[in-house]
Amino acid sequence: MPVRKSAAEVEQRRQEALRLVTGVGEVRIDELAHRLGVSVMTAHRDLDDLQSRNLLQKRRGVAAAFSTVQRESSLRLREHVNAEFKAAIAEPLLDLVAPGDTVLIDCGSTLFPFVRALSEVEQLQVVTNSLRVSYLLSESATVTLLGDRFYPEFESCAGPEVLRQLDRFRVDVAFLTATCVHNGGLSHPVREYAENKEGFVAAAGRSVLAVDGGKFGRTATYAHGDLSGYGTLITDDNAPRDQLRAAEKRGIEVRAVATG
């Protein structure tokens, strides 16, 4: 009699299916079932679940990834991607915060598990442009939400008013994410967010960048500086070594966490 998989094991298999589909853009469902070592019926159930979370598209006989633009422009598509990495970096990031710090937190979904863990740290002053971060920390920290134009696809605000409001704060440490990292350069598909990220780094005493290995080797339209503005880069053990060497040459501490 087959052993029933735990919920965690099922989710791990579904995340693997998502990685396989995203990696090539489109996969036949019977081929996907073979690569995962499951029945076609099980593959259909997994894909139905992923589609219900808006993580991929299921068509006649195939599973298809959303385009890069679709993925990067919608928080709901990104939140459940690379869940192991996001969970694994929560503790290393938490080690960089001290009670009483003023902490600036970017709006990337990569930081959500870390943000939940921040509720353990006492007397934090949190500054953020993220509505989700504000909700998650509203009962455990003093939170200031920076406002300008609201982008519902990112659940956050961006624009010059965000940076004007930030001038009122002395920030101990800023935690940011990146959409694209290429040879040490950073870029984002939305100009306002690129400008805000550059301003966040300039406003902080020290800055930490959290980015999974899949973001390396990619570029987007709007540059926002390079890795030299950061003291620490936290990524995973799948990040390309040549890209990490580019970071190390800039004097950045690189931490690669194991995710599998």
Side-chain angles (χ1 to χ4, degrees), residues 28-253:
R28 288 186 53 84
I29 295 175
D30 55 357
E31 179 187 347
L32 185 64
H34 176 72
R35 293 179 68 176
L36 294 173
V38 299
S39 68
V40 173
M41 184 177 296
T42 296
H44 274 283
R45 284 198 296 267
D46 287 348
L47 294 171
D48 286 339
D49 175 82
L50 293 167
Q51 181 172 251
S52 73
R53 290 188 268 166
N54 294 305
L55 297 175
L56 52 69
Q57 303 170 83
K58 185 182 173 188
R59 302 173 184 158
R60 185 185 295 271
V62 300
F66 287 101
S67 70
T68 299
V69 172
Q70 285 173 307
R71 291 197 305 271
E72 297 303 340
S73 65
S74 179
L75 183 66
R76 73 177 189 276
L77 298 182
R78 292 180 283 118
E79 185 173 356
H80 301 287
V81 176
N82 294 322
E84 289 182 19
F85 169 71
K86 294 170 184 178
I89 64 172
E91 283 297 325
L93 291 175
L94 197 61
D95 290 341
L96 301 174
V97 182
D101 275 350
T102 297
V103 179
L104 175 60
I105 302 177
D106 196 10
C107 62
S109 66
T110 296
L111 297 175
F112 289 168
F114 160 63
V115 170
R116 293 185 180 96
L118 273 179
S119 61
E120 303 171 7
V121 183
E122 297 180 348
Q123 298 179 319
L124 280 185
Q125 299 282 333
V126 175
V127 184
T128 184
N129 63 332
S130 167
L131 196 61
R132 183 82 66 91
V133 170
S134 299
Y135 279 136
L136 289 172
L137 292 174
S138 61
E139 295 184 3
S140 60
T142 300
V143 180
T144 298
L145 177 62
L146 303 171
D148 200 318
R149 177 182 170 186
F150 180 69
Y151 290 79
E153 64 271 29
F154 294 111
E155 294 185 13
S156 61
C157 298
E161 185 60 28
V162 165
L163 297 180
R164 280 195 288 270
Q165 293 169 42
L166 187 58
D167 281 342
R168 304 171 187 172
F169 295 89
R170 181 194 59 78
V171 176
D172 294 300
V173 55
F175 294 91
L176 289 88
T177 63
T179 298
C180 301
V181 187
H182 183 64
N183 292 334
L186 307 171
S187 55
H188 195 279
V190 180
R191 177 174 57 82
E192 288 80 3
Y193 281 93
E195 293 173 350
N196 282 183
K197 287 174 185 288
E198 202 163 23
F200 288 176
V201 172
R206 55 194 170 95
S207 297
V208 179
L209 183 68
V211 55
D212 69 76
K215 303 291 180 62
F216 288 88
R218 296 168 48 181
T219 61
T221 306
Y222 300 101
H224 55 95
D226 59 41
L227 291 172
S228 60
Y230 296 83
T232 304
L233 167 65
I234 294 187
T235 185
D236 59 56
D237 50 6
N238 294 314
R241 284 303 312 165
D242 61 327
Q243 297 286 335
L244 297 187
R245 282 194 292 270
E248 291 167 343
K249 286 179 180 178
R250 288 170 166 82
I252 301 159
E253 178 192 14

